[in-house]
Amino acid sequence: MPRRRVRALLLLLLCLPALEFSGCFVRRRIITRKGPNPTPVLMTADKQTLIDRLARQFEAIQSLSATVDMTPALGSSEKSKITEYKDVRGYVLFRKPSDIRIIGLYPVVRNKAFDMVSNGKDFRLYLPSQNRFVVGSNQFPSQSKNKIENLRPQHFLEALLVAPMQPGDKAELVNLTDEDNAVYILHFVRVQPDGEIQPVRSIWFSRINLHMARQLVYDPAGNILTDARYSDWHVYDGVPFPKVVDIDRPQDDYAVVLTVVKMEINRGVSDDKFVLEQPEGTVLQVMGQPAAPTPPAAPPPPAKGKKKKP
């Protein structure tokens, strides 16, 4: 018998007693991925392909008008206190370059919960339940203890219409493919004049279809400002768009899930749709200035009847 076959036979005889317990030659691990298809065919792409794909998605949308179901949540998971509101109907209007308006209606009665608009520079927010009208710059930080006052149309815009790579940014590509993930991640950073590298955004692309799956927006210190997740992509008027957008603003203590009910893309939105005037009798609050006190209620009229004699 050849020497090689003798060695193989001896090795097999030595391993047989152990096969019942642990296996002798190899240890195999079955890898399954999350999702309906346990063995998806993964797509490949390089950095420039994903940068170009991001730009095409942004350029394809000039305007949109959407009816959405909204699930807002106010509070913080870190503080273990979150209040979630169900069945809020919302309307989203957008027109390039930066006009956006979002209206939210309360469940059942469909009274207006909030109405907000922005031209990219300034915003206006109407809160009927508080009889308050808030105005200010988009750059002014959200810092109200009343979380609903921290809503900003610009936060929705940067999540719904993901901007392409900006001048001065640098991009690095990471392939995160393991037992639980199959995504490409584009990390955008900006080099400051002093040489410091500042994180800007991270955009995740699913390797199943190369659609965007997530966007993380950072502040200069690397803390998360916006965590937006995208799923269930559909084609509306020839343009792909996610049916479900989950927006989390951890520093502002609010989040909202938008589910598209109806969507129209590139059919135009008129100027009047982006006009929001202060309703008469509301209290004006200018961000950066103390809120005006709510005017006291008028005293009730005197009761009718005979006057008592002194």
Side-chain angles (χ1 to χ4, degrees):
M1 182 180 294
R3 182 177 300 176
R4 184 176 300 176
R5 294 182 61 185
V6 171
R7 289 180 178 175
L9 181 59
L10 289 174
L11 184 60
L12 177 61
L13 292 173
L14 289 172
C15 287
L16 283 174
L19 284 174
E20 183 179 353
F21 301 99
S22 61
C24 181
F25 300 110
V26 294
R27 182 179 179 184
R28 294 181 177 174
R29 182 167 48 141
I30 298 175
I31 296 176
T32 58
R33 303 193 186 284
K34 296 178 180 179
N37 185 0
T39 57
V41 177
L42 301 182
M43 301 179 68
T44 59
D46 59 18
K47 178 171 66 176
Q48 192 58 50
T49 297
L50 296 175
I51 291 174
D52 293 343
R53 187 179 182 90
L54 184 65
R56 285 196 304 272
Q57 175 70 24
F58 179 81
E59 293 164 0
I61 301 175
Q62 301 300 315
S63 67
L64 65 80
S65 176
T67 302
V68 298
D69 284 333
M70 307 176 68
T71 306
L74 306 180
S76 170
S77 58
E78 293 183 0
K79 300 175 184 177
S80 300
K81 187 177 181 181
I82 296 177
T83 303
E84 192 173 89
Y85 300 87
K86 299 285 189 180
D87 192 29
V88 176
R89 176 54 55 90
Y91 300 94
V92 181
L93 303 170
F94 165 75
R95 182 183 62 184
K96 278 185 175 176
S98 304
D99 291 326
I100 186 169
R101 185 173 186 177
I102 304 174
I103 302 170
L105 306 180
Y106 283 118
V108 186
V109 294
R110 297 305 188 196
N111 291 334
K112 189 176 290 185
F114 62 83
D115 190 347
M116 56 184 178
V117 67
S118 173
N119 58 10
K121 181 181 178 181
D122 304 307
F123 76 92
R124 292 176 160 227
L125 170 63
Y126 173 40
L127 299 170
S129 63
Q130 301 179 24
N131 197 39
R132 191 174 297 277
F133 194 79
V134 185
V135 301
S137 167
N138 283 336
Q139 304 304 317
F140 194 86
S142 310
Q143 55 187 17
S144 175
K145 293 181 179 179
N146 188 340
K147 303 309 176 186
I148 196 170
E149 293 183 9
N150 290 331
L151 293 174
R152 296 287 183 272
Q154 199 68 18
H155 300 165
F156 286 77
L157 179 56
E158 72 178 8
L160 292 171
L161 200 70
V162 180
M165 183 175 177
Q166 299 299 296
D169 287 357
K170 296 183 180 298
E172 295 296 336
L173 179 63
V174 174
N175 181 355
L176 177 56
T177 303
D178 57 18
E179 297 91 335
D180 301 315
N181 303 280
V183 294
Y184 286 122
I185 305 176
L186 271 180
H187 293 293
F188 291 108
V189 299
R190 192 168 299 153
V191 180
Q192 301 301 303
D194 59 1
E196 288 292 322
I197 297 177
Q198 175 183 314
V200 180
R201 292 183 296 159
S202 295
I203 300 178
W204 298 33
F205 297 84
S206 168
R207 290 196 59 199
I208 296 175
N209 50 29
L210 295 185
H211 282 314
M212 280 186 299
R214 189 178 187 184
Q215 177 186 212
L216 296 164
V217 181
Y218 307 105
D219 67 12
N223 301 307
I224 296 175
L225 290 174
T226 297
D227 183 356
R229 301 172 190 245
Y230 311 93
S231 59
D232 199 7
W233 284 73
H234 284 58
V235 175
Y236 302 95
D237 294 320
V239 179
F241 198 88
K243 185 175 181 179
V244 180
V245 181
D246 187 340
I247 305 170
D248 186 15
R249 293 281 300 184
Q251 296 189 40
D252 296 323
D253 283 352
Y254 79 80
V256 60
V257 178
L258 305 179
T259 303
V260 174
V261 176
K262 180 182 177 182
M263 171 76 76
E264 296 179 351
I265 294 180
N266 296 338
R267 299 192 189 182
V269 183
S270 58
D271 293 344
D272 61 294
K273 300 299 183 182
F274 300 102
V275 176
L276 178 59
E277 301 292 350
Q278 180 182 358
E280 185 178 353
T282 58
V283 178
L284 177 64
Q285 179 180 349
V286 180
M287 298 305 296
Q289 298 180 10
T294 303
K304 295 181 179 181
K306 295 181 180 181
K307 295 183 179 179
K308 294 183 179 180
K309 295 181 179 181

